[in-house]
């Protein structure tokens, strides 16, 4: 496997509304998507775009708020009530190949491959096998649209 | 202030050597700098470059290992023995202006502005004022060299 683009970093928050205000007013973000529900992942999501030299196509900040009481991020927020860095997500060209490679290395994969917030297949790797970091692997969007807008 | 480039994410590790092996062998990183000591910050550091559509100029992974027993990241590693996501770093065009803006908003800044791992001025903001995230602000390198190599 070859290291892919750092698509986004996932940031858990008790309030997406408060986090949007923080990134807009304190950090000066100019492109923030509307929040949307992702009930199958148990989260409400929105993306903050970051700039590169060539446009607003940098690594995104993915803000995630629990969707309900069974959300998988409730445990994280119980330990980190103000929110915090939850996961990192790298792109791969082929999700099935990547899954087979990680499995071949004995890395624990958390659940089935499924459709993530960007509409492409994703899976998560156990942080204990990934240097303490919950790692998401995401298939690069086919149309080359790595970012919102 | 306008949101700047996400320069790097800081990843604490008990062993830079093990982390380099992980990013090289498991994640497929192709550009990893030699580790170097930053005793005034209390860390040993190296950078893993990530790709964008135009080259290896994506947001870097900054691997940090404690330099000695007084390292400021020892507390983090005591809580997260396997390592984990430690901070995020955004670029600004002018470090003094950025500092004044954050101070004007009542954000707590941790210590003086100093020279960071990229050789440009940096400061850190208190995670309690930044949605639970230890946030580094870094002046964009003047020569436009955002990455190693």
């Amino acid at each position: 496997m070859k290291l892919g683009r750092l698509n986004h970093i996932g940031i858990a928050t008790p309030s997406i509304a408060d986090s949007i205000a923080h990134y807009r007013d304190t950090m000066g973000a100019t492109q923030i998507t509307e929040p949307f529900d992702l009930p199958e992942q148990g989260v409400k999501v929105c993306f903050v775009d970051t700039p590169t030299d060539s446009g607003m196509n940098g690594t995104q900040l993915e803000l995630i708020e629990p969707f309900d009481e069974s959300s998988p991020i409730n445990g994280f927020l119980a330990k980190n009530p103000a929110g915090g860095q939850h996961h990192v997500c790298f792109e791969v060209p082929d999700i099935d190949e990547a899954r087979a490679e990680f499995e071949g290395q004995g890395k624990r994969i958390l659940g089935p491959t499924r459709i993530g917030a960007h509409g492409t297949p994703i899976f998560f790797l156990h942080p204990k096998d990934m240097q303490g970091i919950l790692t998401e692997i995401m298939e690069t969007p086919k149309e080359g649209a790595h970012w919102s807008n």
Side-chain angles (χ1 to χ4, degrees), chain A residues 62-97:
Chain A
E62 180 187 57
L63 306 179
I64 48 177
E65 176 191 302
F67 178 69
D68 58 21
E69 288 182 9
S70 66
S71 174
I73 69 169
N74 283 330
F76 180 91
L77 287 169
K79 280 186 219 153
N80 305 277
Q85 297 181 75
H86 182 263
H87 67 271
V88 299
C89 176
F90 291 97
E91 294 181 14
V92 294
D94 185 307
I95 198 80
D96 296 326
E97 267 181 34

Side-chain angles (χ1 to χ4, degrees), chain A residues 5 50-59:
Chain A
R5 188 170 171 278
T50 72
T52 67
D53 292 340
S54 61
M56 292 302 286
N57 56 353
T59 292

Side-chain angles (χ1 to χ4, degrees), chain A residues 5-10 87-91 135-138:
Chain A
R5 188 170 171 278
L6 182 59
N7 182 278
H8 65 265
I9 59 173
H87 67 271
V88 299
C89 176
F90 291 97
E91 294 181 14
T135 305
E136 181 180 357
I137 302 295
M138 164 186 160

Side-chain angles (χ1 to χ4, degrees), chain A residues 14 98 101 119 126:
Chain A
E101 272 200 52
H126 199 300

